[in-house]
Amino acid sequence: MKSFFYKAIMQVLFLLVFCGGIVVQASEKVVILTTTTDLADITRRITGELAEVSSLCDGREDPHTLTVRPSFIVKAREAQVWIRIGMELEVGWEPPILRDSRNRRIQVGAPGHIDVSEKIIAVDVPQGEVTRDQGDVHAYGNPHYWLDPLNGRLAARYIASRLETLYPEHTAEFRSNLAFFLQALDERMFGEALVKRMGGAKLWKQLLDDTLERELKQTGLAELGGGWYALMRPYSGRPVATYHRSWNYLLQRFQLRIVGELEPKPGIPPSPRHLHQLSEIFKEQGVQVILQEPFYSSKAAELLAARLPGSKILLCPNSTGGGEGACSYLDMLDQVINRLAKAFSATDSNHE
């Protein structure tokens, strides 16, 4: 009898320990390491409480020139998923981190290595051979694609689909969270009323087909338009100068005209001669807004602005966490777009 009770007790204890172990294992969060803060924020929106997401960049530095630190290698060693921008943005620092981490799960080509650039719409793709005398030109195109809200949408969908493949048991949560994020992004872009009436996916398709404006007029829905689209629509075609080619995606999305960059070649600081040439071009083209990242020196922009009466320099974060008010991906875009609209409005007022 004692033997029977002893065996029964041991079986119960075993089941408790075994089941407890399963609960602990199931409750462990997926460890995800992204190269940039924008990818980190988008990934957090998708995973919610299911993952621990961190970024190597902090949003305040030039992502091309990140300095590798031992802590990065430690983080990479512990990561189950690695998510990168791609298109050679991280080419100067990603390889040694991955190599020294000795983490097979996140190496290039492994299931846990996600290159988001595989599913975005690229611009500035070089035609022909790329050489070093062209400056810091990326062979696969401009890597700053996250500054186009549409690419932010595409990035979120791709990250979610890859995570579903890796962790199919969380598919429902990933899809639900993705839907909330896409809804929030679409409402920022087109306004809540218009998204509710037509749906975000349809609005993006019509925008890409260049039929949205006509459709809104024909259906009498033009007054429902809001968000970034309505805010920037009056300034379509306005000239803008930039320091680096970071802003091409955002400016092209809102049909703003990029007249030139302060850098004579990507990654090359401007010379006095180049700035003089630019000042003449900018005067001729009517440039009154210079858009620049805060981690570059503003001296060149200030010299140009002094030669362009009434012009404005906008030092705007181009990554999440890159400045005040840019605490999320959508807030970062919101800040840049609103500041552009205010700058155009101010320059219009100066000419009245």
Side-chain angles (χ1 to χ4, degrees):
M1 184 66 68
K2 289 183 179 179
S3 176
F4 172 78
F5 281 115
Y6 176 77
K7 288 181 179 180
I9 291 171
M10 291 302 294
Q11 287 177 348
V12 171
L13 289 174
F14 174 78
L15 288 172
L16 287 172
V17 171
F18 180 73
C19 293
I22 292 176
V23 171
V24 170
Q25 186 176 9
S27 66
E28 288 181 354
K29 293 185 177 183
V30 179
V31 180
I32 301 177
L33 183 59
T34 69
T35 58
T36 72
T37 51
D38 305 288
L39 291 178
D41 187 67
I42 292 172
T43 302
R44 288 190 192 101
R45 306 301 170 188
I46 296 166
T47 61
E49 297 298 318
L50 297 173
E52 178 186 315
V53 184
S54 60
S55 168
L56 294 177
C57 292
D58 64 15
R60 295 172 294 179
E61 71 277 271
D62 182 352
H64 295 280
T65 59
L66 188 69
T67 300
V68 177
R69 298 198 291 266
S71 60
F72 294 168
I73 297 169
V74 173
K75 286 184 176 182
R77 190 172 297 148
E78 298 171 348
Q80 294 166 280
V81 181
W82 173 282
I83 306 178
R84 72 174 179 180
I85 291 291
M87 298 175 74
E88 299 184 338
L89 179 80
E90 304 96 342
V91 69
W93 46 271
E94 180 193 52
I97 295 175
L98 292 178
R99 180 196 65 222
D100 293 346
S101 74
R102 298 181 182 180
N103 184 347
R104 294 182 180 180
R105 294 176 297 190
I106 63 171
Q107 300 300 316
V108 176
H113 185 103
I114 302 175
D115 184 336
V116 179
S117 70
E118 294 175 3
K119 294 296 180 180
I120 58 91
I121 301 172
V123 302
D124 300 337
V125 180
Q127 302 299 313
E129 184 182 1
V130 175
T131 60
R132 293 310 302 170
D133 62 359
Q134 295 173 296
D136 187 19
V137 174
H138 298 271
Y140 302 103
N142 189 323
H144 300 274
Y145 57 78
W146 67 88
L147 289 166
D148 178 355
L150 177 57
N151 277 332
R153 201 178 196 276
L154 296 174
R157 293 181 67 89
Y158 185 52
I159 292 169
S161 68
R162 288 291 300 273
L163 291 177
E164 285 177 26
T165 302
L166 290 169
Y167 305 98
E169 67 273 19
H170 298 313
T171 293
E173 292 96 327
F174 293 152
R175 291 185 180 181
S176 176
N177 292 339
L178 173 65
F180 277 114
F181 175 77
L182 296 183
Q183 180 82 5
L185 187 153
D186 293 345
E187 289 179 357
R188 296 257 193 152
M189 181 66 187
F190 300 107
E192 183 178 353
L194 196 58
V195 171
K196 185 177 181 180
R197 184 69 175 268
M198 297 182 64
K202 184 177 180 180
L203 290 167
W204 278 111
K205 184 179 185 305
Q206 291 179 345
L207 183 64
L208 290 175
D209 293 341
D210 199 25
T211 60
L212 179 57
E213 197 74 12
R214 185 182 66 210
E215 179 72 15
L216 293 179
K217 289 179 180 178
Q218 290 177 349
T219 57
L221 298 176
E223 70 278 3
L224 293 182
W228 301 327
Y229 176 78
L231 183 65
M232 296 302 294
R233 190 64 182 165
Y235 308 114
S236 177
R238 291 296 180 91
V240 179
T242 65
Y243 185 90
H244 184 67
R245 292 183 184 175
S246 302
W247 304 101
N248 292 27
Y249 284 93
L250 183 140
L251 298 178
Q252 289 182 35
R253 173 54 57 213
F254 294 102
Q255 299 183 344
L256 299 173
R257 186 161 51 91
I258 306 168
V259 177
E261 295 88 24
L262 274 60
E263 291 180 327
K265 296 178 181 180
I268 307 299
S271 65
R273 180 180 178 183
H274 179 65
L275 292 177
H276 175 72
Q277 293 173 339
L278 285 180
S279 67
E280 297 303 312
I281 295 172
F282 290 172
K283 285 177 185 177
E284 181 182 341
Q285 296 293 323
V287 173
Q288 292 201 297
V289 174
I290 301 173
L291 183 59
Q292 180 175 324
E293 307 81 347
F295 45 77
Y296 292 125
S297 170
S298 61
K299 290 183 179 179
E302 291 167 0
L303 286 172
L304 273 177
R307 301 175 185 178
L308 302 170
S311 62
K312 293 183 176 297
I313 302 171
L314 301 183
L315 297 178
C316 295
N318 68 340
S319 286
T320 304
E324 186 177 353
C327 56
S328 73
Y329 172 69
L330 296 181
D331 286 345
M332 179 271 295
L333 289 176
D334 196 58
Q335 182 182 134
V336 178
I337 294 165
N338 274 282
R339 289 187 64 187
L340 274 170
K342 288 179 181 178
F344 289 135
S345 178
T347 55
D348 286 350
S349 299
N350 291 338
H351 289 98
E352 292 179 355

